[in-house]
Amino acid sequence: MEEIVVKPMHSKLKNIKLFAGATVRGDGKVSLILDAEGIASHANLNFETKEEDHLQQEALQEDENRYLVFQNFSQDYFAIPLEQIRRIERVNKNQIKKSNRLNYCNIDNQALLILNLDREVELKDIEEQEPFILLPQDSAFAFGLAFWKVEDIVNLNLSSIQEADIQQKIFWKEQVVQLVQFSDIQELYDESQADNILVLGGE
Amino acid sequence: MVEALKTEEEIIRICTFLIEGKTYGVDIKEIQEVSNEIVLTPIKHAHVAVEGYANMRGEIYLVANLRTILGFKKNENNTENRIFYLKNHAGENFGFIVDKVGDVIDVENSQFENKGNMNSVKEENSSELRQGVCYVGNKIITVLKAKAILENINF
């Protein structure tokens, strides 16, 4: 490696963006120093920006289409958008306690209401000793969604499916997968509370 | 003393050179050095008159071909060619190639004539470049404004 002193281009050549400057070499000859950005600009190439934009858009699209596929305790399949998930915890079944017919668990020093997508199965009766608890990214109240098994994280192109609905179903690996969103679960919970009838996780 | 100063003001020392067989000159006070070493690094996309960069005592100089600036056809460089490097006040790190170097002559101000187009400088450039025309013996010398040569390279 050799250090060189690069002198700026002559004022009459400032409009030539191809060169960053010039230097006198050891043999006395003058060498021009190329400017990669200037060459790209001269050739009207904006490939970096376009490529970055393209990658960013692709990443955004991928994020929008990525879903967590999981099974509840009745082994039904569900899918929830990955961007709506804050994190997934595993808790010991014994940590889930009942209060006024509702299940709660201590996560992050908070009594988290645990909802279950199973109507028939009681959390205390499940075989799984360490069920998964899915924590939402944003929600009006603190709750977690209990489930049995993580299946996969998949890209689902749902552009053909109409407005989101908790009843939406798609086929994935020959299984019927119900698409859910935390907002739907929350609405269901709110309705059940209003009627004083617990639909999710009730006895 | 006064007489001597007056004489100095009235006389201009001109370094002459040839372009296309015609004699031109510039005030010697504007010239840094005349060199027979013509080693140039071409600069792509530069003005057609620009021949390239040259190393003159560690400094990088922009070198143009005076033939092209004056509107003559460019020809191959030969051993008689020289580079006239100008002082910085006349042209920022700038030099120009001439066909052949001539003599250094003293010209009195009274010898200058600014009439007519007796030189070979193209009409559109002549007014900007020409300082004056003078007769020395049987020669007609077109004296150029050194500063105007670089200014004449417009992009």
Side-chain angles (χ1 to χ4, degrees):
Chain A
M1 193 186 289
E2 191 184 334
E3 285 186 12
I4 56 167
V5 178
V6 178
K7 298 192 174 173
M9 294 297 281
H10 193 277
S11 59
K12 282 284 182 184
L13 305 172
K14 289 283 184 197
N15 66 329
I16 306 173
K17 304 293 180 200
L18 302 172
F19 310 110
T23 188
V24 178
R25 296 199 319 242
D27 61 2
K29 290 179 180 168
V30 177
S31 282
L32 291 162
I33 310 299
L34 294 173
D35 183 335
E37 204 174 306
I39 293 168
S41 161
H42 181 82
N44 290 326
L45 294 175
N46 295 315
F47 52 89
E48 278 186 12
T49 318
K50 279 188 179 172
E51 183 67 16
E52 276 172 12
D53 287 350
H54 180 67
L55 287 174
Q56 272 180 359
Q57 272 193 345
E58 222 171 47
L60 275 175
Q61 277 178 352
E62 268 190 19
D63 279 351
E64 282 171 11
N65 294 332
R66 294 186 89 187
Y67 280 73
L68 173 77
V69 179
F70 60 95
Q71 286 186 49
N72 69 358
F73 301 102
S74 303
Q75 297 181 16
D76 297 322
Y77 284 77
F78 294 86
I80 199 158
L82 212 56
E83 61 181 2
Q84 293 185 12
I85 299 168
R86 178 151 55 97
R87 70 174 199 264
I88 298 170
E89 287 271 338
R90 285 200 93 163
V91 297
N92 192 300
K93 190 174 75 171
N94 298 328
Q95 287 178 258
I96 300 171
K97 306 292 182 192
K98 274 229 150 172
S99 169
N100 194 23
R101 296 193 302 164
L102 295 173
N103 292 304
Y104 289 91
C105 183
N106 184 4
I107 293 177
D108 297 338
N109 293 322
Q110 193 177 15
L112 209 67
L113 175 67
I114 304 298
L115 301 178
N116 178 10
L117 289 169
D118 258 298
R119 293 187 187 211
E120 283 79 30
V121 180
E122 258 294 316
L123 286 178
K124 63 179 171 58
D125 300 330
I126 59 174
E127 285 181 16
E128 177 60 56
Q129 278 303 307
E130 285 194 333
F132 291 95
I133 306 293
L134 226 163
L135 304 177
Q137 186 68 262
D138 300 299
S139 68
F141 66 101
F143 78 96
L145 193 63
F147 65 96
W148 172 53
K149 186 182 172 189
V150 172
E151 272 298 323
D152 206 350
I153 291 171
V154 293
N155 286 325
L156 299 176
N157 188 359
L158 307 178
S159 54
S160 57
I161 298 179
Q162 295 300 310
E163 191 73 19
D165 185 317
I166 201 163
Q167 295 303 324
Q168 282 186 317
K169 289 183 172 64
I170 58 162
F171 267 96
W172 175 75
K173 289 187 178 175
E174 298 181 350
Q175 299 290 340
V176 178
V177 178
Q178 183 166 326
L179 304 175
V180 288
Q181 306 224 12
F182 277 116
S183 54
D184 302 327
I185 297 165
Q186 198 172 312
E187 276 173 25
L188 273 180
Y189 169 77
D190 291 343
E191 285 168 14
S192 65
Q193 284 293 88
D195 297 339
N196 208 18
I197 301 164
L198 191 61
V199 176
L200 296 166
E203 286 176 330
Chain B
M1 179 75 176
V2 174
E3 241 349 88
L5 280 173
K6 195 178 173 186
T7 310
E8 202 174 292
E9 276 174 15
E10 283 178 352
I11 291 175
I12 300 172
R13 186 159 284 181
I14 304 291
C15 185
T16 64
F17 49 86
L18 296 178
I19 298 281
E20 194 75 8
K22 314 266 187 312
T23 307
Y24 293 85
V26 288
D27 190 334
I28 203 164
K29 285 188 284 188
E30 315 284 10
I31 297 166
Q32 174 78 31
E33 185 170 328
V34 177
S35 172
N36 62 354
E37 192 182 323
I38 302 179
V39 181
L40 298 166
T41 301
I43 305 162
K44 298 288 178 194
H45 300 283
H47 187 275
V48 65
V50 171
E51 289 281 332
Y53 270 143
N55 170 19
M56 206 278 279
R57 301 186 192 278
E59 286 286 309
I60 298 172
Y61 275 69
L62 181 70
V63 176
N65 194 324
L66 193 57
R67 290 182 63 90
T68 315
I69 294 170
L70 296 178
F72 296 110
K73 199 179 164 189
K74 204 171 173 178
N75 58 4
E76 287 294 315
N77 289 340
N78 61 54
T79 53
E80 291 192 315
N81 291 159
R82 297 288 183 272
I83 300 178
F84 276 53
Y85 291 107
L86 299 179
K87 286 183 179 168
N88 263 344
H89 68 263
E92 170 209 352
N93 283 33
F94 178 68
F96 56 85
I97 299 177
V98 301
D99 288 357
K100 189 180 177 180
V101 70
D103 300 323
V104 175
I105 54 167
D106 290 339
V107 180
E108 282 182 32
N109 267 332
S110 57
Q111 287 177 268
F112 277 99
E113 285 185 31
N114 285 314
K115 297 170 193 171
N117 294 315
M118 292 178 290
N119 54 73
S120 301
V121 180
K122 273 192 169 179
E123 189 59 34
E124 63 264 30
N125 292 339
S126 62
S127 58
E128 294 169 20
L129 282 173
R130 193 180 61 209
Q131 188 170 323
V133 180
C134 62
Y135 293 93
V136 176
N138 59 349
K139 281 184 189 170
I140 301 169
I141 300 171
T142 306
V143 180
L144 304 175
K145 297 176 199 164
K147 203 172 180 178
I149 297 173
L150 177 59
E151 287 169 359
N152 213 258
I153 302 174
N154 294 314
F155 288 89

